Amino acid sequence: AMELWQVPLLFSRLPMFPFFDLAHYVASVMALKEQRGAVEVSVRSPVACWFSAMLYCFGGSVLSSLSNSYGLYLVFYCPEDIFYRCFAFLPLRLLVAGMKEVTRTWKITAGIAHADSHFKDAWLVMVAVGWARGAGGGLISNFEQLVRGVWKPETNELLKMSYPVKVTLIGAVLFTLQHSQYLPIARHNLVFLYTVFLVVSKVTMMLTRSATSPFAPFEAALGHMFFGLQKIPSKVKGEGAASSNGSSVCDPSSSEQHRDGVKKRQAKKTE
């Protein structure tokens, strides 16, 4: 009989192909279809839609692979939209989303191992490559939007990180420390614990329909501790509002003076 301590070890040896990879493709393309304007692009330009789907699915490796064409076709062009409606059913949607998070862990660890093979003990490179492999679709989201004819620079992940990008960065740091033997935990145990956290948090956020990051309280505390980030006092806000009101009160008089000056110059010209 299998003992409890063997579960993380067996889990770390779980193959991603084909089921988990397929779940990743389906979840990614479904998320793309739910973006504003994506359906219109799929009708107007299937090639642009296909390339956008490639960026969503293979953003971590920046691959242009034909292997996901069937997933794109089923999600966007299946008759009567049957495929999308089936996987939009909440239990199936939760299953696919959970399996997608499992692939995130494997991509992070593969990226770190790949970076370490080329740049021995280069921590920053290992973190960067693991982060890019695990959250590449989010990091290049602006380029993916450009493919669909949308430009939203305010959605830059480096300016305002989404939860998947944040949690992937944390995972890249943890696995880099473990890979460099600075984190006293076995790799398979860390893989198991991190993946369980990913799946549980993702499913919880989907069930509660919450977009708030679980790290928000910690971010606020750390920001206040290390960078002095704090809320603007109400007194300062009141002074700012008063000054803006004062300027708005002065605007009519200044505009009247300007018009008088213009009239006088015009009168001089006519004279």
Side-chain angles (χ1 to χ4, degrees):
M2 182 178 62
E3 297 182 3
L4 185 61
W5 66 269
Q6 293 178 318
V7 174
L9 181 61
L10 296 176
F11 180 79
S12 65
R13 297 174 180 174
L14 196 65
M16 293 294 100
F17 182 83
F19 300 110
F20 287 91
D21 285 338
L22 289 175
H24 167 69
Y25 300 150
V26 171
S28 298
V29 179
M30 288 180 69
L32 171 62
K33 185 174 182 178
E34 292 166 356
Q35 296 294 317
R36 181 178 299 178
V39 176
E40 290 77 4
V41 172
S42 68
V43 175
R44 186 171 64 251
S45 177
V47 175
C49 184
W50 170 82
F51 189 68
S52 182
M54 293 305 100
L55 295 176
Y56 247 77
C57 295
F58 301 104
S61 305
V62 196
L63 299 175
S64 55
S65 172
L66 291 170
S67 63
N68 189 43
S69 299
Y70 59 86
L72 171 69
Y73 177 80
L74 290 175
V75 173
F76 275 93
Y77 304 107
C78 184
E80 303 297 330
D81 212 13
I82 295 176
F83 187 86
Y84 176 81
R85 291 180 179 178
C86 289
F87 280 91
F89 181 55
L90 185 58
L92 283 179
R93 187 68 179 267
L94 294 176
L95 176 63
V96 169
M99 295 175 72
K100 175 181 169 62
E101 294 305 311
V102 174
T103 65
R104 189 186 304 278
T105 304
W106 264 249
K107 289 180 180 180
I108 295 172
T109 55
I112 291 173
H114 177 75
D116 185 60
S117 64
H118 289 78
F119 305 94
K120 199 68 177 177
D121 296 329
W123 285 20
L124 291 179
V125 177
M126 294 165 65
V127 171
V129 175
W131 188 29
R133 287 288 295 270
L139 292 173
I140 62 173
S141 58
N142 287 110
F143 180 64
E144 181 275 323
Q145 291 170 357
L146 275 178
V147 173
R148 294 188 282 115
V150 179
W151 174 240
K152 294 181 178 180
E154 69 276 6
T155 61
N156 190 327
E157 288 286 352
L158 297 179
L159 297 177
K160 187 177 180 181
M161 289 188 189
S162 61
Y163 169 70
V165 175
K166 289 179 183 177
V167 77
T168 304
L169 176 58
I170 294 174
V173 173
L174 291 176
F175 283 107
T176 297
L177 292 175
Q178 190 280 327
H179 189 84
S180 303
Q181 298 182 353
Y182 286 94
L183 194 63
I185 184 175
R187 178 181 177 276
H188 58 270
N189 288 332
L190 182 59
V191 167
F192 181 75
L193 294 175
Y194 178 74
T195 307
V196 169
F197 174 79
L198 288 181
V199 174
V200 171
S201 60
K202 180 65 174 181
V203 171
T204 302
M205 293 174 69
M206 292 180 67
L207 289 175
T208 58
R209 299 182 182 274
S210 173
T212 305
S213 170
F215 303 126
F218 301 100
E219 292 173 6
L222 293 176
H224 177 71
M225 182 184 304
F226 293 104
F227 303 103
L229 300 179
Q230 55 187 359
K231 295 182 179 180
I232 301 176
S234 58
K235 182 179 180 181
V236 177
K237 291 183 178 179
E239 292 176 356
S243 62
S244 62
N245 291 336
S247 63
S248 63
V249 171
C250 295
D251 286 341
S253 61
S254 60
S255 60
E256 288 178 1
Q257 293 176 359
H258 177 70
R259 285 195 295 269
D260 293 339
V262 172
K263 289 180 180 178
K264 289 180 180 179
R265 286 193 296 269
Q266 290 177 349
K268 289 182 179 179
K269 288 181 181 179
T270 55
E271 291 175 355

